[in-house]
Amino acid sequence: MKRTDLERKERDIKRAAKKEERLEKGGAPEKSVGDYINELHSLFFHDETKIYNVAIDERIPDLLEEMMLDLEQKQWENIIRKAVRKTGVKEKEPAIKELLEFME
């Protein structure tokens, strides 16, 4: 086996152990940063140029509030930027600004 394969397996084992430890400690698993990115991305209504439902859909502010309670503040902007980038829209900044304004 190559060194990179061994390192990948070690990382997978560590992740599984950490997830199991988290389940034992708190009962229900917490959402990860990736979970928030994927969930926020799934709530967006967009085409190639713009995200349309940032201000309209009430599920988005609810998710952002949940995220604010669960995660540290330094991760919030990163999650928003990655979720918007995942849509592939051309006008990213207006949506990012609108989402960040809600966070303040």
Side-chain angles (χ1 to χ4, degrees):
M1 239 184 227
K2 293 184 178 180
R3 187 187 83 204
T4 54
D5 292 336
L6 292 172
E7 290 173 349
R8 182 180 45 80
K9 286 188 178 208
E10 287 177 14
R11 286 192 306 269
D12 290 342
I13 290 170
K14 286 180 184 179
R15 274 191 218 120
K18 186 175 180 180
K19 185 176 183 180
E20 187 176 314
E21 179 182 314
R22 194 175 10 166
L23 284 171
E24 289 175 1
K25 209 167 39 168
E30 296 176 12
K31 287 184 182 178
S32 68
V33 171
D35 293 336
Y36 280 111
I37 292 169
N38 292 333
E39 191 171 345
L40 186 58
H41 170 260
S42 69
L43 294 177
F44 291 146
F45 176 73
H46 60 89
D47 60 9
E48 295 175 354
T49 58
K50 183 178 173 180
I51 298 174
Y52 295 101
N53 68 331
V54 172
I56 300 168
D57 193 343
E58 64 231 15
R59 295 175 297 173
I60 293 174
D62 292 341
L63 180 64
L64 293 176
E65 285 181 26
E66 180 183 334
M67 182 179 72
M68 290 168 61
L69 294 173
D70 288 348
L71 300 174
E72 298 175 17
Q73 184 175 1
K74 65 182 182 179
Q75 296 175 328
W76 299 348
E77 184 175 350
N78 189 28
I79 291 170
I80 290 171
R81 287 190 179 280
K82 286 187 177 186
V84 171
R85 187 179 320 133
K86 193 172 181 179
T87 62
V89 297
K90 293 178 184 174
E91 298 177 13
K92 294 176 181 77
E93 286 305 314
I96 292 172
K97 286 180 183 178
E98 196 169 347
L99 289 165
L100 288 175
E101 286 174 6
F102 175 78
M103 304 290 281
E104 294 174 355

